[in-house]
Amino acid sequence: MTTAASRPEELLLPASVTGAETATLSLAADFGAEKAAWAFVDATLERLRATALAPRVHTAVGELVANALEHGLSGADEEPFPHPLVVAVLGEGPDLLCVVFDPGPGLPLKSTGHGLNVVEAASDAWGWTEPGPWGKGVWTAVTRRGTGPSPSLVSRLLLLSEFLTGNENPALVIAGMEPTVAGVV
């Protein structure tokens, strides 16, 4: 499933990992990644009938991809298959959870720039997955109700995180919040 370096590729992951309302896209680490992520998000939101959330999702996912390109590729030993970045959109009714996986071991630092402040402003909740041998994911929850991710979305993201990061005991960290969902630290 290797592709040209600049061509994004939709990943076909087992339904048991992702669920029916999930789409994933593998991205190369190049300047077209953010634009490809936006096109992918648009198509996914259309399929999920969640286009009303597009402005917030575009803002958050664009920043997460930009941060992954700038910070998430440093310290990675080798490029994961088939590309270093994976964008996933998980939907459940009015809730969306979007995540950008990268191979970097470093955790997001809100104090280093304005990007994560933008993600926080566009999101109902955001955070990251505990890093595994293949990297981590930084996620954003955007909902029509203005709440954080549902327990079933968290469970699906934990499975996806285990699959994409290699972490056998995945956990989510919610930025600036106390844990309220199992599997969240």
Side-chain angles (χ1 to χ4, degrees):
M1 208 159 119
T2 304
T3 63
S6 63
R7 189 175 132 211
E9 184 171 329
E10 191 158 359
L11 297 177
L12 300 175
L13 300 174
S16 60
V17 171
T18 62
E21 294 183 328
T22 300
T24 55
L25 182 72
S26 175
L27 295 171
D30 65 25
F31 292 110
E34 193 171 358
K35 186 175 180 181
W38 285 342
F40 167 72
V41 164
D42 283 343
T44 304
L45 293 177
E46 182 80 28
R47 184 173 59 82
L48 297 176
R49 295 184 176 95
T51 55
L53 299 175
R56 293 173 59 208
V57 173
H58 266 234
T59 300
V61 170
E63 286 294 336
L64 293 179
V65 169
N67 284 349
L69 287 167
E70 185 174 346
H71 305 290
L73 300 178
S74 61
D77 293 332
E78 58 185 66
E79 186 174 304
F81 173 83
H83 291 304
L85 303 178
V86 174
V87 177
V89 178
L90 295 79
E92 181 178 273
D95 298 338
L96 287 178
L97 201 122
C98 305
V99 60
V100 176
F101 290 94
D102 66 59
L107 297 178
L109 297 173
K110 208 171 120 183
S111 62
T112 60
H114 73 282
L116 292 175
N117 290 315
V118 171
V119 171
E120 183 172 66
S123 305
D124 295 311
W126 75 277
W128 55 91
T129 65
E130 288 289 326
W134 305 325
K136 66 177 173 313
V138 183
W139 58 270
T140 177
V142 179
T143 69
R144 293 181 192 124
R145 298 183 313 243
T147 61
S150 69
S152 65
L153 276 178
V154 168
S155 294
R156 287 171 45 207
L157 180 54
L158 289 170
L159 282 172
L160 188 60
S161 177
E162 182 178 1
F163 187 80
L164 291 173
T165 69
N167 189 336
E168 294 179 8
N169 298 300
L172 298 185
V173 177
I174 299 175
M177 296 179 72
E178 293 296 319
T180 58
V181 179
V184 177
V185 293

